[in-house]
Amino acid sequence: MSRAHRLVAVSNRVGPVKGAAAAGGLAVALVDALRERGGLWFGWSGRTAPPGKARLRTEKVDGMTLATLDLTQQELDGFYNGFCNNCLWPLLHFRIDLTKFERRQLETYRRVNWRFAQALAKLLRPDDVVWVHDFQLIPLAEELRKRRLRQRIGFFLHTPFPPTEILGTLPPHEELMRALFAYDLIGFQTTDDVRRFQEHVRHAYGGSARGDTVSAFGRELKVGAFPIGIDVDQFHRYAFTVPGNREFSRMRQVLRGRDQFIGVDRLDYSKGLLRRMDAFGRYLEKHPKAHGNVILLQVAPVSRGSLESYRDFRLELDREAARVNGRFARFDWTPVHYLNRALPRRTLAGLYRASRVGVVTPMRDGMNLVAKEYVAAQDPADPGVLVLSRFAGAAQRMKAALLVNPYDGEEIAEAMHRAMEMRPQERRSRHEELMKGLNEYDVGRWRVEFVAALMKAPAWRPVARKPR
Ligand code: GDG
């Protein structure tokens, strides 16, 4: 990408920019790229405003421009809480049982995308390269194309792409997939997601897929797998310098020679928290020697707490944690330490480092960055062991972890035991291999490869009209 091109990132939420490193994930990846080229970041402001008062604000921060749009409460309900989190999120995680489709919410989803496009179109320059993030914004490119914008526009899906049998249950699946074909490149987390997308396009719409080119609806686009990574060195530094290092020492003091398993997840039903808790109970049941000696620290900040499915899930998890504690706790030992608060990122790094086993067992996950952070925070001379779900995108390139089926509590419990018993030499060699993978494909490479592929994609052409 030459300097002549400005990078424009679009995501549901914008920022933070100043504390990007502390927020982690997408913020880090995007801020670096945008800062380099004086880019623009566009999205929802995180605020609601009464109808007619919802404003677009632009500000310059650290050499880049932030442009944010308010939503009305009604838009927030129908778009974000409604169609995005009550319908698309469960569907994309293969949970048809939790998927609630309401036509009115779809209309609000369309309308918010329309408003985003309306505001963004005014800010775009002819040579901009636009990178749109995630399922909240599928129709955005189509809306921009309607305004005759011909810029290169790429889309990255952070979640899994589900099988055609599941996607086909969504009433407006064709509308959404057709909208995707207004992009020039679609990036997925793994090659499995790419394959499922290609199969769906073939089966459901009679499209075709050859190599990285997929055709349907009279259009052609490029697809690819771009597994998102982390800033490995930075995360490692967090674990070994103040305050991460201090939190590590405090944790060690509190543990008093006990071993700790750690789980860190947004409180979401896709993350496999219930089975994990149950598996820990099974592990304790089978291994009385662990009693008094092992703790599971589960950090699970509340997310999407206004939705019923999330509130129900939280109650269930509270019960499950209490059940394991009620059954096994002694007056001087509580096996499950369960927090619903978010901790600072550097504290997390110290806690990962202090934990003998990282337990990352989502039922389905696009990638899962916690798995990568846990590995990066370890001491290479005496590393902990990662227990990882086969159904996290991260598993595709982290074969040196102990891979488990997250639906099988017995298997998770066995992996917990195996992790505890593992000799230092095996721990070191597995860790070394995992680190090699993390370094090979870090967050920098993720964004550079995506943007390079987008630049290479053929320039957009409108669908040729059939002669009458
Ligand atoms: C989506 C996809 C994909 C968690 N608790 C705290 C905290 N976190 C941080 C973690 C990690 C991030 O949040 C979570 O990232 P994940 O990748 O695990 O999961 P999602 O939030 O579901 O993200 C996922 C990702 O997008 C990127 O493409 O990997 O599959 O679902 O960085 O550390 N951070 C702080 N305190 C906490 O208590 N500071």
Side-chain angles (χ1 to χ4, degrees):
M1 187 175 173
S2 88
R3 294 265 150 207
H5 297 284
R6 180 176 69 157
L7 182 63
V8 176
V10 190
S11 59
N12 178 48
R13 284 298 291 274
V14 168
V17 171
K18 289 281 188 220
L26 191 58
V28 181
L30 291 182
V31 165
D32 284 350
L34 295 169
R35 214 181 256 143
E36 259 172 37
R37 4 186 127 258
L40 169 70
W41 191 356
F42 181 93
W44 175 41
S45 63
R47 280 184 290 264
T48 54
K53 294 250 160 73
R55 290 200 301 143
L56 174 74
R57 284 185 202 81
T58 55
E59 54 176 321
K60 289 246 181 232
V61 185
D62 264 4
M64 69 181 101
T65 308
L66 301 186
T68 55
L69 198 62
D70 300 332
L71 294 180
T72 67
Q73 187 59 47
Q74 185 263 337
E75 284 172 341
L76 184 65
D77 290 342
F79 163 73
Y80 184 68
N81 293 324
F83 193 64
C84 292
N85 289 339
N86 241 349
C87 181
L88 285 181
W89 174 268
L91 184 90
L92 292 166
H93 290 83
F94 303 20
R95 292 294 301 270
I96 318 182
D97 56 323
L98 294 176
T99 301
K100 295 195 182 80
F101 171 68
E102 283 184 33
R103 238 160 255 286
R104 252 182 328 126
Q105 296 182 338
L106 171 65
E107 270 159 35
T108 313
Y109 176 81
R110 284 191 198 123
R111 191 184 134 69
V112 169
N113 272 274
W114 180 91
R115 274 193 59 212
F116 266 44
Q118 185 83 345
L120 179 60
K122 294 189 192 120
L123 303 174
L124 287 182
R125 302 173 190 156
D127 276 334
D128 282 348
V129 174
V130 186
W131 186 2
V132 179
H133 290 265
D134 232 359
F135 61 96
Q136 297 91 353
L137 300 173
I138 292 172
L140 191 70
E142 194 179 40
E143 287 296 339
L144 291 171
R145 300 296 187 209
K146 283 185 195 156
R147 290 164 179 76
R148 297 182 187 283
L149 294 174
R150 302 284 177 94
Q151 283 87 340
R152 281 201 162 71
I153 315 180
F155 179 81
F156 185 78
L157 184 67
H158 289 258
T159 69
F161 191 88
T164 184
E165 290 81 358
I166 289 184
L167 194 57
T169 63
L170 181 71
H173 67 88
E174 183 164 343
E175 171 185 333
L176 294 184
M177 291 302 115
R178 184 186 291 273
L180 274 182
F181 276 78
Y183 289 95
D184 301 305
L185 168 71
I186 305 182
F188 297 91
Q189 299 273 25
T190 68
T191 51
D192 286 338
D193 298 303
V194 174
R195 177 183 46 77
R196 286 191 290 260
F197 175 73
Q198 292 172 328
E199 279 169 11
H200 179 68
V201 169
R202 274 199 218 104
H203 288 151
Y205 320 117
S208 69
R210 238 166 287 110
D212 63 355
T213 305
V214 181
S215 321
F217 309 112
R219 280 266 307 142
E220 223 175 70
L221 53 73
K222 295 284 176 191
V223 291
F226 303 89
I228 191 168
I230 62 166
D231 184 332
V232 187
D233 293 339
Q234 184 191 59
F235 206 81
H236 186 76
R237 258 197 322 276
Y238 280 176
F240 285 81
T241 51
V242 176
N245 191 46
R246 190 180 58 222
E247 305 295 26
F248 162 78
S249 306
R250 276 182 55 202
M251 188 78 248
R252 277 287 166 96
Q253 267 174 16
V254 172
L255 285 169
R256 282 181 290 127
R258 289 172 169 153
D259 285 309
Q260 180 161 274
F261 295 8
I262 191 166
V264 175
D265 312 76
R266 277 188 309 101
L267 191 64
D268 192 294
Y269 48 76
S270 66
K271 302 291 183 184
L273 292 159
L274 276 172
R275 293 286 166 115
R276 183 184 312 166
M277 213 52 94
D278 169 65
F280 185 57
R282 287 169 194 259
Y283 165 75
L284 292 176
E285 191 178 323
K286 275 210 175 142
H287 302 284
K289 278 200 187 133
H291 297 195
N293 296 320
V294 173
I295 280 168
L296 168 64
L297 171 63
Q298 178 62 57
V299 180
V302 175
S303 114
R304 305 172 188 172
S306 60
L307 298 186
E308 199 184 320
S309 48
Y310 282 75
R311 284 199 303 267
D312 291 350
F313 171 68
R314 185 177 175 184
L315 286 177
E316 262 188 276
L317 187 61
D318 285 354
R319 266 201 297 272
E320 189 60 20
R323 188 185 67 79
V324 176
N325 275 340
R327 172 144 184 231
F328 296 100
R330 298 176 183 166
F331 74 89
D332 60 349
W333 169 63
T334 309
V336 177
H337 291 194
Y338 171 47
L339 276 67
N340 285 141
R341 248 175 320 116
L343 300 175
R345 197 161 167 74
R346 291 165 201 259
T347 303
L348 274 187
L351 299 185
Y352 286 136
R353 181 183 159 202
S355 303
R356 181 71 188 278
V357 185
V359 200
V360 182
T361 53
M363 312 313 266
R364 225 11 104 173
D365 219 330
M367 177 54 56
N368 196 298
L369 296 177
V370 170
K372 301 191 174 188
E373 292 165 1
Y374 174 76
V375 170
Q378 297 306 302
D379 177 355
D382 183 22
V385 179
L386 175 66
V387 173
L388 177 62
S389 161
R390 291 178 196 288
F391 305 143
Q396 215 180 50
R397 287 164 170 263
M398 296 183 88
K399 303 277 190 229
L402 295 182
L403 295 183
V404 294
N405 174 355
Y407 290 84
D408 185 347
E410 287 294 324
E411 194 185 339
I412 301 175
E414 270 163 36
M416 287 173 166
H417 178 60
R418 199 171 152 207
M420 286 297 293
E421 297 292 300
M422 198 180 283
R423 300 260 157 113
Q425 202 193 339
E426 184 179 349
R427 283 194 274 123
R428 281 194 294 269
S429 73
R430 283 177 181 270
H431 178 258
E432 198 179 317
E433 202 181 321
L434 288 170
M435 281 300 285
K436 216 171 111 207
L438 292 197
N439 282 316
E440 239 167 53
Y441 217 112
D442 67 356
V443 70
R445 179 158 171 203
W446 171 71
R447 69 172 162 77
V448 166
E449 289 203 349
F450 183 91
V451 174
L454 180 53
M455 292 307 296
K456 262 192 13 215
W460 192 82
R461 262 177 294 125
V463 176
R465 284 187 197 281
K466 289 200 183 106
R468 285 171 191 255

